[in-house]
Amino acid sequence: MNPSASRTPPLPPHPAPATVGMSLDEVDTPALLLDLDAFERNLARLPASLRGVSVRVRPHAKSHKCPDIALRQIEHGAIGVCCQKVSEAEAMVRGGVKDVLVSNQVVGATKIARLAALAKEAKMGVCVDDLGNIADLSQAAQRAGAKLDVYVEVNVGANRCGADPGAPVVALARAIATGPGLTFAGLHAYHGAAQHKRTPAERKQGIDDAVAKVKQTLALLEQAGLPARIVTGAGTGTYPLEASSNVYHEIQPGSYIFMDADYGRNLGADGQPVHEFEHSLFLLATVMSHTNPQRAAVDVGLKAHSVDSGLPLVHGLPGVTYVRAADEHGVLALTAPATVTLGQKIRLIPGHCDPTVNLYDWMVCYRGHHVEALWPITGRGRFY
Ligand SMILES: Cc1ncc(COP(=O)(O)O)c(C=O)c1O
């Protein structure tokens, strides 16, 4: 026997924490819950909010990683989805999605070969900001006998990836247009830093700046004989601005279907928290210890949710606050007269939906008080 070979016997697939028809009180915890009534209203509100505006919707699947949700978004008019990783895109294509934009750079021979192979099964797009990467994509597309739509990512203010607006973008577009196996599809201009600016004025300023950078770049591309067919970008925080800009052709909101606690802190034009979309995603937790009238502990800790955008909110229990997260515990502060009981199931609104969803294998979908469906989160853990 190879002394370094694994000796761990394979485990059966991870069981779902619920079965269809069960009451919510019977669901094992921690569990990721989806309130189907609120989710369906969010699904319908996005296209309704765009009535009269000519823009394509390509929601970001990094929020849900769940083909069952992607297919419902497509039923509501989306042309396909965005993914952030090739393996996430593989999960979407296996799940039946036919049009995917990897709104990210794909670097490295293994990933590029998988992207090119996927382009034989579905319409695939990808973003670039580097000449060498364009050459690698072209070689892989030719080898696979595939076509890739390639977008130049423009840094419109997020200062993450992307070429500077203007001349650097033209050089990249030219290389794509002359690269066998590649089609120059347009510009990826997502302003991530503007999404969670709290006031509408700050968000508008961010997108006005982005639009100016895109316009300047589009003019240079026209002069060079390299017109951009599509400008794509935007998230839940700003999409109405890009959609009505007359510059963006496609928007990419992701979180709108769930509305996490952090997005709930954005303010609308009336100075109140935004209310276009509802919280539909919850964590179900069990009170596992209650030894002091002012304190209790639940079984949703750091390994069961992401706290990068703040702690979760306790849903529907005034006077109960989630105040601290340890690896496997969440500490609740109780302000009299609020009480909880040992074994009580409580719902939490996660601080940040995307990395929280990524921790779960199953979306436990409920209506009223009963489980109606279990959707596998097949893109979960697929960040390579
Ligand atoms: C490239 C890109 N597009 C769209 C989104 C969707 O944003 P949101 O979930 O805020 O709607 C993201 C989120 O980070 C993103 O990185």
Side-chain angles (χ1 to χ4, degrees), residues 60 62-63 84 103 160 188 190 234-236 252-255 263:
H60 215 302
K62 76 197 253 292
S63 302
Q84 213 73 318
S103 57
R160 186 169 68 178
H188 185 244
Y190 171 68
T236 301
Q252 311 174 353
S255 304
Y263 253 128

Side-chain angles (χ1 to χ4, degrees), residues 79-91:
I79 56 157
V81 297
C82 291
C83 286
Q84 213 73 318
K85 297 296 179 84
V86 175
S87 56
E88 196 173 71
E90 286 167 343

Side-chain angles (χ1 to χ4, degrees), residues 16-24 26-27 36 362-366 369-375:
T19 52
V20 170
M22 205 177 235
S23 102
L24 279 190
E26 296 172 283
V27 173
L36 286 171
W362 296 96
M363 189 86 62
V364 178
C365 307
Y366 71 98
H369 289 289
H370 288 88
V371 176
E372 186 170 302
L374 295 165
W375 293 342

Side-chain angles (χ1 to χ4, degrees), residues 93-94 97-98 116-124:
V93 172
R94 296 289 113 79
V97 178
K98 299 271 177 272
L118 211 50
K120 301 279 283 179
E121 295 178 52
K123 184 171 160 55
M124 294 299 302

Side-chain angles (χ1 to χ4, degrees), residues 237-252:
T238 65
Y239 79 83
L241 299 167
E242 285 93 336
S244 58
S245 67
N246 288 322
V247 166
Y248 283 74
H249 306 96
E250 199 173 279
I251 56 165
Q252 311 174 353

Side-chain angles (χ1 to χ4, degrees), residues 20-162:
V20 170
M22 205 177 235
S23 102
L24 279 190
D25 286 339
E26 296 172 283
V27 173
D28 200 6
T29 61
L32 189 70
L33 299 184
L34 185 66
D35 176 341
L36 286 171
D37 289 329
F39 163 74
E40 287 166 6
R41 285 191 289 271
N42 288 345
L43 261 186
R45 276 182 191 145
L46 179 69
S49 73
L50 293 165
R51 220 161 271 145
V53 181
S54 171
V55 72
R56 311 193 315 176
V57 179
R58 184 187 285 282
H60 215 302
K62 76 197 253 292
S63 302
H64 54 71
K65 291 175 165 277
C66 175
D68 281 296
I69 292 185
L71 296 178
R72 282 164 178 79
Q73 290 174 314
I74 290 165
E75 279 167 17
H76 280 76
I79 56 157
V81 297
C82 291
C83 286
Q84 213 73 318
K85 297 296 179 84
V86 175
S87 56
E88 196 173 71
E90 286 167 343
M92 289 299 139
V93 172
R94 296 289 113 79
V97 178
K98 299 271 177 272
D99 186 339
V100 180
L101 166 61
V102 179
S103 57
N104 210 349
Q105 284 65 21
V106 176
V107 174
T110 308
K111 291 184 206 312
I112 291 177
R114 290 209 328 271
L115 175 71
L118 211 50
K120 301 279 283 179
E121 295 178 52
K123 184 171 160 55
M124 294 299 302
V126 65
C127 297
V128 298
D129 59 10
D130 180 83
L131 286 171
N133 186 221
I134 294 170
D136 291 344
L137 289 168
S138 173
Q139 269 180 19
Q142 288 175 82
R143 225 176 283 129
K147 271 274 180 201
L148 285 170
D149 279 349
V150 184
Y151 296 75
V152 179
E153 176 157 0
V154 193
N155 177 12
V156 288
N159 296 328
R160 186 169 68 178
C161 299

